[in-house]
Amino acid sequence: MKRTFVYALSAVMAVALAAPASAQDAFPDTPDNHWAYEALARLKNAGLLVGYPDGLFRGGRPASRYEMAVALNALYMKMMGVTDGLAGQIKALEESISHRGFASAAELRQVRDALAAAQSQIDGMKAWGDEIANLKRMAATFEKELASMGVDVEAMKKGFADLEKRVKALEDRKFPIAVSGDLNLWMGNGYSKDERVGITKDGRPTGIKNGNTVGVGRDFTVLHEMGLEIEGTNETGPKWGGTLVIGNTFGTTASFTSAGFNGNNAFDRVAFGDMSGVFTGSPFEEGDTDVMWQTLWVKYDTSLWGQNFSATMGRLGHQVGSYFMKRPDNTPYFRSEYWDNGDWYFDGAILDFKLGNADLTVFGGRQSDRFTTSGIDINPMAAGRSGHSYQGAGDTRPRGYGSNGFNIFVDQHLGFTADLPLGQNGNLQLNYLIFDSNSTTSLIGSSDVFNRVVVFGGDFNWKVNDRMKLNAGYSQSNLMENGTTRLDEDNSAWWAKLKYDGGRWNGYVGYRSIDPQFAAPGDWGRVGIWWNPTDVQGFMAGIGFDLSSSTKVHFGGQWYTGRDVMLADGGGLTQDDKLRVLSASLKHRLSSSWNLMLGAECVEWDLNAFSEKPRESWYRFGLSHDMGNHSKLSFMWEMSDYNGKGVTGFNPFSGSSDSRATGGFLTTQISIRF
């Protein structure tokens, strides 16, 4: 019985008291070095222990039945007060949420903190359940003593029963919304070397300020971003949620002109931009603090003509596959779920149908005119290429991803995806996607125009055995003017890749061929500063080893030639043009919380028309520190050495007179998940 009483006291005190005990709160006859000193002080402060009339505790004396009855009554009153108070807090919070209307970021943070505090108290009550039943028996045992004190014992027994129901109700109760998210603080420092700016993997200069080459102390960028994820917790009716993003990671600032850097060309300084573009040639800079709803959706289950399906409507994120519809990660130096998840965001709907063992997804909506508070159109999509960016000696090297050739900016799209299971070991995904623009773009070498890109094909996955998996597929992108096809040749891609997991080692080998006019808005990789390469064919392979439980290494390579396709604009790579990519990395766990990374990447162009071989190289050193279950600190130092070797069109920055870029980039990021 005494053990039950101690457990009950511990449970209620964990919830009811948060402030530490102070010296003046203790009983005078309890030594401050006694193991029970702090606990006795807390119980006294809560009114659960009152001591003797002379103010002493007399801890060495056995407690009488009357003293146990007094403490039991005090405990009962305290527990009732805790549940009453918590119920009142929850009611006030729910009323606040229902009357709040559109909430600011600060108000959402207040709601999140209040929800977390209330949930913490509820979690602390989970220890009450069994003890309340025992306290009911104690009330019967000390009935005579409680009655002599004037306590209504029957009311207390009934109160304990009510208390049991209250605690269960509070444990089962869900708040109307759940708020979570993350906070990212990022700092980038670029520097030049030998009076040349460096270059990043996305083709941006480092070590430049006001047109001059500088060191890390002057090319200095600080960015911040917080994402608040709000979701309804209702178990019946439509589900809903959204992600509100606040930060200075989006925008552009004023242009600058530098004859020494880019031959009198003006470029905007940008942060990370609009969530989809690659800002080749643009130095890093803070944007203005901005706010946007990245997602805001409602999901419900319904039926039509006897067919059940789920519908999600609002601002949504969706992707189909690397060679069909997937957003490239345009922030290779910044890790964030909102930037890196590969989803294209649009205002529209996604319908999911279950047809036997197969799944059919229909999706579509508006892809443009979704602005942040400062007027930036977030996540614009570009598709449709006519003509290759590499024209030989008369033009610049290819950089890909909407920056070369002709393309359209998508205003709306419609897509169909059928996922067909193939027994227990595989599946076939068939896709048909339509990307429309409200304006037309001319075809190179022709009077025709187009305003639509239709992408179709399939993606096949097969589990050969427990260690080996195969992925293969085909995708084609036709350029159209409304319903009339204007270009349907030299515009496809096909690939095959076999992966093997050998336990302490793993590897892959594959082959792919991508036509020069393939134009799906996907994400199929990067070759140096060339994003989404086209007009290439060849092998790719990689192998990784676990040298120990704390050390891993990986080596990779890609070996391509041109597709040797004659285009209307006269450009393109031939089978005599070669492109080699080699990479290596080492990851080592220094301790339970610190990790080390070393890496290198080299790209070499071997063009038949030139004796020199342009080369792109990066060398990386990184450290990461796990500061807790939800916090991480990361450092990265990257050194760049780009050498165009004087080959026409292969200078690192368009319009620049220097064929080399040598410098570096240091980044620091703190990520906190809450």
Side-chain angles (χ1 to χ4, degrees):
M1 192 69 73
K2 289 182 180 179
R3 181 178 299 172
T4 294
F5 188 67
V6 170
Y7 286 166
L9 285 175
S10 301
V12 72
M13 292 306 296
V15 176
L17 297 178
S22 58
Q24 61 268 29
D25 293 330
F27 291 100
D29 60 336
T30 305
D32 58 10
N33 62 350
H34 193 277
W35 63 270
Y37 177 84
E38 187 171 330
L40 291 171
R42 291 181 184 276
L43 292 169
K44 180 185 177 186
N45 290 340
L48 299 176
L49 292 179
V50 295
Y52 287 87
D54 59 4
L56 301 179
F57 178 61
R58 299 179 184 175
R61 178 183 177 277
S64 69
R65 290 175 60 88
Y66 283 101
E67 291 165 345
M68 290 290 289
V70 169
L72 177 61
N73 184 57
L75 177 60
Y76 165 67
M77 299 302 294
K78 172 58 84 174
M79 294 175 82
M80 293 293 287
V82 170
T83 57
D84 287 341
L86 184 55
Q89 292 177 39
I90 294 173
K91 182 178 180 181
L93 183 58
E94 290 176 339
E95 291 178 351
S96 174
I97 294 171
S98 64
H99 291 91
R100 193 175 292 271
F102 179 80
S104 67
E107 290 173 327
L108 287 171
R109 287 194 296 270
Q110 293 174 3
V111 171
R112 182 204 67 210
D113 294 341
L115 288 171
Q119 187 62 54
S120 177
Q121 295 188 58
I122 291 175
D123 291 341
M125 289 181 179
K126 292 180 179 178
W128 289 21
D130 294 338
E131 307 310 333
I132 290 175
N134 291 329
L135 289 173
K136 288 163 66 177
R137 290 193 292 271
M138 290 181 69
T141 301
F142 296 106
E143 183 173 352
K144 179 179 178 182
E145 289 78 9
L146 289 167
S148 67
M149 295 163 48
V151 175
D152 187 338
V153 180
E154 292 303 318
M156 176 180 281
K157 291 179 181 179
K158 183 178 181 300
F160 273 129
D162 291 341
L163 187 62
E164 200 168 30
K165 294 179 181 177
R166 289 189 190 189
V167 171
K168 187 176 186 308
L170 286 170
E171 289 180 352
D172 294 340
R173 188 165 189 169
K174 286 188 176 181
F175 294 105
I177 65 171
V179 182
S180 60
D182 60 13
L183 173 67
N184 285 285
L185 305 175
W186 183 89
M187 180 173 64
N189 295 76
Y191 66 90
S192 59
K193 182 181 178 183
D194 300 329
E195 298 185 354
R196 298 190 188 95
V197 299
I199 189 169
T200 63
K201 292 177 290 188
D202 49 345
R204 302 182 64 172
T206 65
I208 186 168
K209 205 76 172 179
N210 298 323
N212 300 311
T213 55
V214 297
V216 294
R218 293 186 62 193
D219 183 10
F220 181 52
T221 307
V222 180
L223 303 176
H224 59 269
E225 181 180 273
M226 180 174 67
L228 291 174
E229 299 171 10
I230 304 105
E231 190 166 345
T233 60
N234 52 297
E235 294 183 355
T236 60
K239 305 295 183 182
W240 64 273
T243 302
L244 183 68
V245 181
I246 308 104
N248 69 340
T249 53
F250 304 113
T252 63
T253 57
S255 299
F256 76 96
T257 300
S258 168
F261 172 54
N262 260 343
N264 292 319
N265 290 330
F267 285 86
D268 285 336
R269 305 184 68 94
V270 304
F272 296 142
D274 53 20
M275 297 195 75
S276 59
V278 175
F279 295 89
T280 302
S282 298
F284 290 91
E285 185 70 65
E286 293 99 343
D288 296 329
T289 297
D290 218 340
V291 181
M292 72 166 181
W293 281 104
Q294 184 167 18
T295 62
L296 192 60
W297 51 267
V298 175
K299 182 177 182 179
Y300 60 94
D301 296 324
T302 185
S303 63
L304 180 65
W305 299 321
Q307 173 62 53
N308 295 327
F309 65 95
S310 65
T312 308
M313 304 177 67
R315 179 162 297 174
L316 312 168
H318 191 62
Q319 59 182 282
V320 175
S322 296
Y323 294 87
F324 295 94
M325 176 180 157
K326 184 177 180 180
R327 176 170 57 95
D329 174 12
N330 73 324
T331 57
Y333 302 95
F334 177 67
R335 289 171 301 281
S336 168
E337 169 66 18
Y338 316 116
W339 294 79
D340 304 343
N341 60 18
D343 283 348
W344 285 106
Y345 294 96
F346 59 93
D347 292 343
I350 301 174
L351 308 180
D352 290 309
F353 299 86
K354 188 72 173 178
L355 305 174
N357 292 328
D359 293 314
L360 173 64
T361 302
V362 182
F363 57 93
R366 181 162 53 88
Q367 196 67 49
S368 59
D369 296 332
R370 298 143 307 137
F371 298 103
T372 66
T373 53
S374 64
I376 296 173
D377 193 357
I378 63 169
N379 199 206
M381 178 191 289
R385 181 177 295 130
S386 168
H388 193 267
S389 56
Y390 179 67
Q391 307 293 317
D395 201 358
T396 61
R397 56 153 297 175
R399 299 171 188 268
Y401 190 33
S403 62
N404 305 289
F406 282 68
N407 52 63
I408 63 171
F409 286 97
V410 179
D411 289 298
Q412 50 272 330
H413 71 273
L414 177 64
F416 304 86
T417 297
D419 196 340
L420 310 174
L422 302 175
Q424 299 295 318
N425 292 334
N427 74 293
L428 175 63
Q429 180 177 286
L430 301 177
N431 306 305
Y432 189 86
L433 315 170
I434 304 170
F435 303 97
D436 259 348
S437 176
N438 294 335
S439 58
T440 58
T441 301
S442 299
L443 291 172
I444 293 179
S446 170
S447 60
D448 290 332
V449 297
F450 70 96
N451 62 352
R452 177 177 297 172
V453 181
V454 175
V455 180
F456 57 91
D459 202 342
F460 169 76
N461 293 282
W462 186 259
K463 181 180 177 182
V464 180
N465 53 43
D466 289 340
R467 294 184 179 274
M468 192 177 300
K469 296 180 180 179
L470 172 68
N471 170 251
Y474 174 86
S475 180
Q476 181 172 326
S477 56
N478 289 348
L479 306 187
M480 306 181 70
E481 182 185 7
N482 300 320
T484 303
T485 300
R486 297 302 185 191
L487 189 152
D488 60 356
E489 58 184 9
D490 303 323
N491 61 342
S492 62
W494 66 268
W495 64 95
K497 189 174 185 179
L498 187 65
K499 294 182 178 179
Y500 184 82
D501 185 355
R504 294 192 61 179
W505 73 275
N506 60 81
Y508 68 88
V509 62
Y511 187 93
R512 64 180 178 178
S513 174
I514 308 172
D515 282 343
Q517 296 180 155
F518 180 64
D523 175 20
W524 54 90
R526 177 182 58 83
V527 174
I529 63 172
W530 190 9
W531 291 55
N532 280 357
T534 58
D535 198 12
V536 294
Q537 59 186 359
F539 290 93
M540 49 192 172
I543 188 167
F545 299 94
D546 292 347
L547 300 181
S548 68
S549 60
S550 58
T551 305
K552 300 181 179 181
V553 296
H554 186 271
F555 304 94
Q558 302 173 58
W559 299 267
Y560 299 120
T561 67
R563 287 283 293 120
D564 210 3
V565 174
M566 180 60 68
L567 301 176
D569 59 9
L573 297 171
T574 72
Q575 290 186 358
D576 293 325
D577 295 323
K578 298 178 176 60
L579 182 59
R580 291 182 285 270
V581 184
L582 298 176
S583 63
S585 66
L586 179 146
K587 296 181 179 179
H588 178 66
R589 189 171 68 248
L590 299 172
S591 67
S592 59
S593 59
W594 282 95
N595 295 278
L596 168 71
M597 186 279 291
L598 300 174
E601 177 182 348
C602 179
V603 181
E604 185 178 70
W605 293 77
D606 186 357
L607 302 175
N608 186 53
F610 300 95
S611 58
E612 296 291 343
K613 300 177 182 180
R615 180 189 296 264
E616 308 163 59
S617 301
W618 291 273
Y619 308 94
R620 303 178 187 103
F621 169 82
L623 279 175
S624 63
H625 176 47
D626 294 327
M627 300 186 291
N629 292 333
H630 305 289
S631 304
K632 187 173 184 177
L633 173 65
S634 301
F635 303 95
M636 192 278 297
W637 175 27
E638 180 179 85
M639 295 157 280
S640 58
D641 186 359
Y642 181 107
N643 192 347
K645 301 285 186 73
V647 174
T648 303
F650 268 77
N651 290 350
F653 303 105
S654 179
S656 172
S657 59
D658 197 338
S659 65
R660 295 196 68 184
T662 57
F665 201 34
L666 286 80
T667 64
T668 305
Q669 182 172 347
I670 298 177
S671 300
I672 301 173
R673 183 76 187 176
F674 55 83

